[in-house]
Amino acid sequence: MDIQSARKKIDRIDDEILKLFSERMRIGGELGKIKQAGHLPIENSEREREILLKITKESGESLQSCARILFSTLFELSKSYQRRQSSEFSDFSRMILDSLNNTPKLFPAMAKVGCCGVPGAYAQLAADRLFQLADITYFNDFNAVFQAVEKGLCQYGVLPIENSTSGTIDQVYDLMLDHKFHIVRSCRLQVRHSLLLPPGAEISDIKEVISHEQGLKQCAGFLKSLGNIKRTTAGSTALAAKIVSESGRKDIAAIASSECAGIYSLHIGAENIQDRDSNYTRFICISRQPEIYPGASKISIMGVLPHKPGALYSLLARFAVLGVNLTKLESRPKRNENFEYMFYFDFEASLADAQVRQLLAELLADNGRFTFLGNYLEI
């Protein structure tokens, strides 16, 4: 057999495979309608296991692994097709289309915004970048910001989610599991830390430095250069500056933004003390209802994957088929559940694309494993 003959035979086989695949998917779609009418789950893991065992035995030793991958992929495609018949799929699609149609064309210039900390906090600087004029209410912790948005006390909340130097803001990710919200915009803010001293104090006088734990992490090199000093955490960098201002001590300093010096009558002992000049914090702006503004190009979701080999691969393959670029994949253990992990995904896409809406609708219809967080623009 020469190469041309082999290719012709493969082409004929491919034609037959396509016909059989189309017929299988058609029957799968009918099965999906039957399951929906009977209020039955789409997935039947026991039947899948039985088929895979049969395929493994009948495919021969040399093709066993290939056959399992082929049929596992076929199962995922069939379930995806069946889920399109479900009411959850339609409800999500309607919600997204309503959001696309009803969200104003311009992001609001003014709004009531919740932030963690006190005046001068980096969250306030992020809010000032997101809004032309933000009416800011300050809260003591991240949970209170989520609650203020959830209860309608604030139209929006601004929260840090990750830093280029110290990584993920764990508290915020953990709180995402406890609240209902939507991300409507995000921004990257360059963080420049300063050492703020009480009036008349010198760096040589300092025995204690206070800041948010992220500020202390991000300035670890500078703090090491000060020798054996006490490091104390505060709820935010701006709160640390406020504490120093009100302490009446000359041997305590704060790591905070230079803006805090003017707000709290402190003076700058050293500027740009962060370990890296490329020190950025990413902030998200959340709302109670979904808002999808023109130009939204990033989508965030979170969810739980089943405990079986290839589960993550199968999901990533569905993104790859659409040519979607994943920009973040974070896994975190779920509280009070042994060896159960929540996955957080950011990817570049728009729900104006019908194929992307279809993928998200399928994921959200999958036994409630996934939650849509938002489609938004990052500035």
Side-chain angles (χ1 to χ4, degrees), residues 53-342:
L53 283 172
K54 178 176 179 291
I55 293 300
T56 299
K57 291 176 181 177
E58 295 180 356
S59 60
E61 186 175 348
S62 63
L63 292 177
Q64 284 181 355
S65 60
C66 295
R68 282 198 301 271
I69 292 172
L70 173 62
F71 276 82
S72 295
T73 303
L74 188 59
F75 294 157
E76 290 300 320
L77 292 171
S78 181
K79 288 183 289 187
S80 171
Y81 192 66
Q82 290 179 42
R83 290 186 189 108
R84 296 180 202 175
Q85 319 303 321
S86 71
S87 58
E88 289 90 348
F89 184 96
S90 300
D91 290 345
F92 175 78
S93 297
R94 280 194 293 271
M95 183 269 284
I96 291 302
L97 289 173
D98 286 345
S99 297
L100 288 169
N101 294 329
N102 297 330
T103 301
K105 299 303 180 186
L106 295 176
F107 193 74
M110 297 182 292
K112 188 170 182 59
V113 181
C115 293
C116 181
V118 294
Y122 287 108
Q124 178 216 308
L125 303 183
D128 289 342
R129 187 168 178 206
L130 290 163
F131 301 91
Q132 291 181 23
L133 185 60
D135 179 8
I136 298 177
T137 300
Y138 295 95
F139 297 92
N140 291 331
D141 53 50
F142 297 138
N143 186 52
V145 176
F146 276 106
Q147 289 182 335
V149 172
E150 203 169 35
K151 295 176 181 178
L153 300 176
C154 292
Q155 186 179 357
Y156 299 102
V158 174
L159 296 152
I161 193 170
E162 62 181 321
N163 178 265
S164 58
T165 299
S166 53
T168 295
I169 314 298
D170 294 338
Q171 292 171 283
V172 175
Y173 274 93
D174 289 340
L175 287 167
M176 286 181 174
L177 304 176
D178 302 329
H179 297 280
K180 294 186 180 298
F181 66 95
H182 291 86
I183 303 174
V184 297
R185 186 148 289 196
S186 67
C187 72
R188 292 179 183 270
L189 183 72
Q190 186 170 17
V191 176
R192 295 186 176 93
H193 291 302
S194 295
L195 185 71
L196 306 184
L197 310 176
E202 301 292 338
I203 292 180
S204 57
D205 300 326
I206 302 305
K207 294 183 173 61
E208 180 180 0
V209 173
I210 182 171
S211 188
H212 188 271
E213 60 180 347
Q214 293 290 328
L216 295 173
K217 285 181 183 179
Q218 294 160 22
C219 301
F222 176 81
L223 290 172
K224 186 177 180 180
S225 72
L226 297 182
N228 187 25
I229 62 168
K230 182 180 178 181
R231 305 178 189 188
T232 303
T233 59
S236 71
T237 54
L239 180 59
K242 186 171 186 282
I243 290 171
V244 169
S245 176
E246 297 173 352
S247 69
R249 294 167 53 187
K250 299 294 185 183
D251 62 347
I252 187 172
I255 291 176
S257 66
S258 58
E259 286 83 354
C260 286
I263 295 172
Y264 298 107
S265 301
L266 302 173
H267 76 93
I268 299 173
E271 292 184 285
N272 294 326
I273 61 173
Q274 63 276 356
D275 292 342
R276 298 180 186 175
D277 289 334
S278 57
N279 183 24
Y280 287 84
T281 294
R282 182 177 170 223
F283 289 84
I284 55 172
C285 179
I286 64 171
S287 70
R288 183 165 61 171
Q289 299 298 330
E291 299 175 4
I292 304 176
Y293 291 90
S297 57
K298 177 170 284 192
I299 295 175
S300 295
I301 61 174
M302 63 181 180
V304 178
L305 293 176
H307 284 295
K308 63 180 183 180
L312 180 58
Y313 167 80
S314 297
L315 177 61
L316 296 180
R318 294 163 78 174
F319 287 103
V321 166
L322 294 183
V324 169
N325 180 35
L326 281 169
T327 58
K328 184 177 179 66
L329 171 56
E330 179 95 11
S331 66
R332 298 193 56 74
K334 292 185 70 177
R335 295 189 302 274
N336 303 320
E337 295 187 34
N338 291 332
F339 305 108
E340 188 81 18
Y341 288 83
M342 177 66 70

